[in-house]
Amino acid sequence: MSDVTFPMVRRRPLDPPDEATELRQQGAMHRMTYPDGHRGWLVTRYSAARAILAHPHFSNRQELSHPPLPSQLERVRMQRERKMPAGVFLRMDPPDHTRYRKLLTGQFTVRRMKALESRIEEIVNAHLDGMAAAGGPVDLVQMFALPIPSLVICELLGVPYEDRAQFQEDSKLLLSLETKAEEAIAALGRVMAYLYGLIQRKRKEPSDDLLSGLIEGGELNDEELTGVSFLLLVAGHETTANMLGLGTYALLTNPDQLAAMRDDPSVVDNGVEELLRYLTIIHVGPIRTALEDVEIEGTLIKAGETVTLQLPAANRDPSRFPDGDRLDVTRQAGGHLTFGHGIHQCLGQQLARAEMRIAYPALLRRFPGLRLAVTPEEVPMRSDMGIYGVHRLPVTW
């Protein structure tokens, strides 16, 4: 079998690329040649992906990995030259990762997320009122899916929501697979400069928010605080925003599943997990690099080799999720890998779940006649972005 190459193209907007599904049927591990000539692996089955995410001898450090897409080569090279900003712990290994993660874990407890739920409900209802006042058709991304998680994460961190336009535009540049390296580095610089300035202001005038709490804790310097806040800000609104947009598109194109989510409150928790599994918006990566020789399911991965996980295919693996290509909001879908697994599992997953559990049923009940204002084929998909979703979602009711 010849080497796997990227990018893979989704021929149907809600399904993994056909090549990924075919590879999964053949096996878990597939030889892959990266754009820089490095020989590594593509992982398509659930058990192998989960084992790699949990394994202590696979590194998440950016300077060790090899990008799977040609468009990322120059950007990664420039980022390596500049070194990963302090505090961006997602791309660190223990013990550095452990230190940052421990400081933040207490901020994202289930208890705190429960306490936030009433505020999330207020934000959701305010945006539903805005949609009703505007009248259809509207772009659900701009009126609902993007502003709700953006407002929530801004309030949680203590970032002024009125400043959102610039950092949202820069986030889009950073997450686009097509942004030129110089533009991405400039966008990163703008966001970091903004957050650094915000931290200086909070040192003088702290308030009741997560960033002020981290400042008062005294364990992080300003550069570290800037990196941590950057990671939380971008991850906190981009991921949930795309789940709300793409999840609504999935439900509108599967009306029986929409009806179940709208009409049966007991379905909502399972439904959110199923949408997370079925859609798997992290569609390029995660990427790990072996620190030493490791055998995974009979395949030897040598020290220094990079593995790219194809999570959309792994989350449809029939050995873990029978009939996994079917959206079934009543399915027990726990254990999916959309939030990752192991020490790098998404820190804000409980917040994301709370937002989706509130937002989906509220939207569907407020507008029981909600429907696409264009054909499904006319909805522009985010195939060009590191986080999958819809660029726009025209709806009416």
Side-chain angles (χ1 to χ4, degrees), residues 207-223:
S207 54
D208 183 22
D209 57 62
L210 191 151
L211 285 184
S212 295
L214 288 173
I215 290 168
E216 290 166 7
E219 296 191 47
L220 300 177
N221 62 34
D222 287 353
E223 288 75 20

Side-chain angles (χ1 to χ4, degrees), residues 178-240:
E178 298 177 354
T179 301
K180 290 183 170 55
E182 295 83 358
E183 294 174 336
I185 297 297
L188 176 62
R190 286 191 296 270
V191 179
M192 299 296 268
Y194 166 76
L195 291 169
Y196 186 87
L198 177 65
I199 286 161
Q200 305 313 303
R201 297 198 297 275
K202 286 188 177 294
R203 281 202 181 278
K204 297 174 183 175
E205 298 179 14
S207 54
D208 183 22
D209 57 62
L210 191 151
L211 285 184
S212 295
L214 288 173
I215 290 168
E216 290 166 7
E219 296 191 47
L220 300 177
N221 62 34
D222 287 353
E223 288 75 20
E224 291 174 312
L225 287 163
T226 301
V228 167
S229 56
F230 163 76
L231 184 58
L232 297 179
L233 181 65
V234 173
H237 78 268
E238 279 284 349
T239 48
T240 308

Side-chain angles (χ1 to χ4, degrees), residues 50-233:
R50 191 175 188 274
I52 288 167
L53 290 171
H55 203 290
H57 295 146
F58 282 96
S59 173
N60 201 30
R61 301 204 316 268
Q62 179 171 283
E63 65 268 24
L64 298 179
S65 68
H66 297 259
L69 298 174
S71 60
Q72 296 174 311
L73 274 175
E74 182 62 17
R75 188 192 304 191
V76 169
R77 185 188 66 78
M78 290 180 71
Q79 287 174 338
R80 283 172 178 164
E81 288 176 356
R82 286 163 171 77
K83 198 178 179 185
M84 183 60 62
V88 184
F89 60 95
L90 180 65
R91 301 310 302 268
M92 297 177 183
D93 292 340
D96 295 330
H97 172 269
T98 310
R99 171 176 169 251
Y100 291 113
R101 179 98 182 189
K102 187 175 179 181
L103 284 173
L104 285 161
T105 298
Q107 306 288 346
F108 284 93
T109 60
V110 174
R111 181 180 58 80
R112 184 168 191 172
M113 295 310 106
K114 290 292 286 185
L116 267 175
E117 286 184 5
S118 61
R119 180 62 184 132
I120 296 171
E121 288 174 358
E122 291 175 5
I123 291 170
V124 167
N125 288 329
H127 284 81
L128 293 175
D129 290 344
M131 283 178 58
V138 300
D139 176 9
L140 192 80
V141 171
Q142 293 301 318
M143 293 289 289
F144 188 78
L146 179 58
I148 289 169
S150 186
L151 252 173
V152 171
I153 198 65
C154 283
E155 288 199 13
L156 183 66
L157 293 177
V159 175
Y161 184 62
E162 58 269 21
D163 294 345
R164 69 193 182 280
Q166 184 60 59
F167 68 68
Q168 284 180 354
E169 187 60 35
D170 286 329
S171 294
K172 190 179 295 184
L173 286 170
L174 288 167
L175 290 169
S176 171
L177 301 174
E178 298 177 354
T179 301
K180 290 183 170 55
E182 295 83 358
E183 294 174 336
I185 297 297
L188 176 62
R190 286 191 296 270
V191 179
M192 299 296 268
Y194 166 76
L195 291 169
Y196 186 87
L198 177 65
I199 286 161
Q200 305 313 303
R201 297 198 297 275
K202 286 188 177 294
R203 281 202 181 278
K204 297 174 183 175
E205 298 179 14
S207 54
D208 183 22
D209 57 62
L210 191 151
L211 285 184
S212 295
L214 288 173
I215 290 168
E216 290 166 7
E219 296 191 47
L220 300 177
N221 62 34
D222 287 353
E223 288 75 20
E224 291 174 312
L225 287 163
T226 301
V228 167
S229 56
F230 163 76
L231 184 58
L232 297 179
L233 181 65

